[in-house]
Amino acid sequence: MELTVDELAARAGVSVRTVRFYAGRGLLPPPRLRGRTGLYGADHLARLELVRELQSLGLTLAAIEKHLEKIPLDAPPEDLALQRALLSPWAPEQTEELDRHELDRRAGRHLDDEALARLEALGVVELLADSVRVVSPALLGISAELAELPMPLDTLIASHEAVDRYTTALAAELQSVFQDTIVRPYRERGRPPEEREQLLELATKLKPLMIQSLVTSFQRAVDKAIRRTVPHD
């Protein structure tokens, strides 16, 4: 792959100015020169995609620079792709800004002003002047159903905060375990190429399997909690 700076920017979905800014900060290795033309390859594209993944996690530019300092400038694209795969299971959702018609379509129901106010109180949406920002697209449908239940808003908010508090702590602990027991040993062994594909496959499958396991475990925990409230002879 040989790309000009314009082609690289187009492939990465950023501006040429951004590419040059990142290069000036040392986030990208220098291009290969053909005469007076700088040419970029798959390694540059993979590094740009990694930077965008880190940005989606909310990292500052300074934090991104520190993270990339640990990755050699001559790291092959496969190593950079693995880095992205290891990050993606823990990356947050991207917010979306929708008009009311599209919001109703996504939610699968008409959301009146009262329902929107309840969703905003739950932190699922933010009401703007002419549109609605969906903070959590994945939660929109189920949250819309919850908002319609004949339940006090205080109860909904308390329940939402409890779920968010414990799932956030659980995600942090699971990520720490994954890093300590799988990723760190892989790095300490010198990132052997024969293990790269296995780790890439593991990172890809991790998130859906963990979600399925969490849902099943939570269902069992709810059943146990209900049984404890039932009087026994």
Side-chain angles (χ1 to χ4, degrees), residues 18-66:
T18 297
V19 173
R20 288 176 171 150
F21 174 73
Y22 288 160
R25 297 293 293 259
L27 300 180
L28 295 176
R32 293 176 282 278
L33 294 178
R34 178 184 293 167
R36 302 176 69 177
T37 302
L39 296 175
Y40 300 83
D43 53 335
H44 295 92
L45 179 59
R47 193 172 286 264
L48 271 177
E49 291 171 340
L50 177 57
V51 170
R52 295 189 68 186
E53 193 77 51
L54 291 165
Q55 287 176 326
S56 75
L57 289 169
L59 270 66
T60 64
L61 185 60
I64 292 173
E65 289 175 345
K66 288 182 180 179

Side-chain angles (χ1 to χ4, degrees), residues 58-102:
L59 270 66
T60 64
L61 185 60
I64 292 173
E65 289 175 345
K66 288 182 180 179
H67 182 82
L68 292 182
E69 284 175 359
K70 305 173 186 176
I71 305 174
L73 283 177
D74 60 353
E78 295 81 7
D79 280 354
L80 296 168
L82 177 59
Q83 284 282 332
R84 287 187 63 214
L86 294 175
L87 292 170
S88 60
W90 319 105
E93 292 180 90
Q94 296 298 311
T95 62
E96 293 186 63
E97 195 168 317
L98 309 174
D99 60 30
R100 294 287 291 268
H101 176 74
E102 180 62 16

Side-chain angles (χ1 to χ4, degrees), residues 26-188:
L27 300 180
L28 295 176
R32 293 176 282 278
L33 294 178
R34 178 184 293 167
R36 302 176 69 177
T37 302
L39 296 175
Y40 300 83
D43 53 335
H44 295 92
L45 179 59
R47 193 172 286 264
L48 271 177
E49 291 171 340
L50 177 57
V51 170
R52 295 189 68 186
E53 193 77 51
L54 291 165
Q55 287 176 326
S56 75
L57 289 169
L59 270 66
T60 64
L61 185 60
I64 292 173
E65 289 175 345
K66 288 182 180 179
H67 182 82
L68 292 182
E69 284 175 359
K70 305 173 186 176
I71 305 174
L73 283 177
D74 60 353
E78 295 81 7
D79 280 354
L80 296 168
L82 177 59
Q83 284 282 332
R84 287 187 63 214
L86 294 175
L87 292 170
S88 60
W90 319 105
E93 292 180 90
Q94 296 298 311
T95 62
E96 293 186 63
E97 195 168 317
L98 309 174
D99 60 30
R100 294 287 291 268
H101 176 74
E102 180 62 16
L103 183 70
D104 287 350
R105 191 187 72 80
R106 296 281 190 94
R109 66 195 66 234
H110 172 64
L111 299 173
D112 57 22
D113 291 344
E114 182 182 353
L116 282 177
R118 288 164 75 86
L119 287 175
E120 186 173 39
L122 290 172
V124 178
V125 303
E126 295 175 2
L127 302 182
L128 306 175
D130 299 313
S131 60
V132 178
R133 179 179 294 117
V134 183
V135 178
S136 177
L139 282 177
L140 178 60
I142 186 66
S143 297
E145 290 189 52
L146 284 171
E148 288 187 348
L149 293 177
M151 185 183 299
L153 182 58
D154 289 346
T155 304
L156 283 175
I157 293 175
S159 301
H160 174 79
E161 289 177 346
V163 170
D164 184 67
R165 181 168 61 253
Y166 287 107
T167 52
T168 298
L170 177 60
E173 184 172 347
L174 290 175
Q175 196 269 350
S176 178
V177 169
F178 184 74
Q179 290 288 328
D180 291 343
T181 62
I182 296 178
V183 178
R184 185 170 292 118
Y186 165 76
R187 290 171 177 163
E188 291 173 348

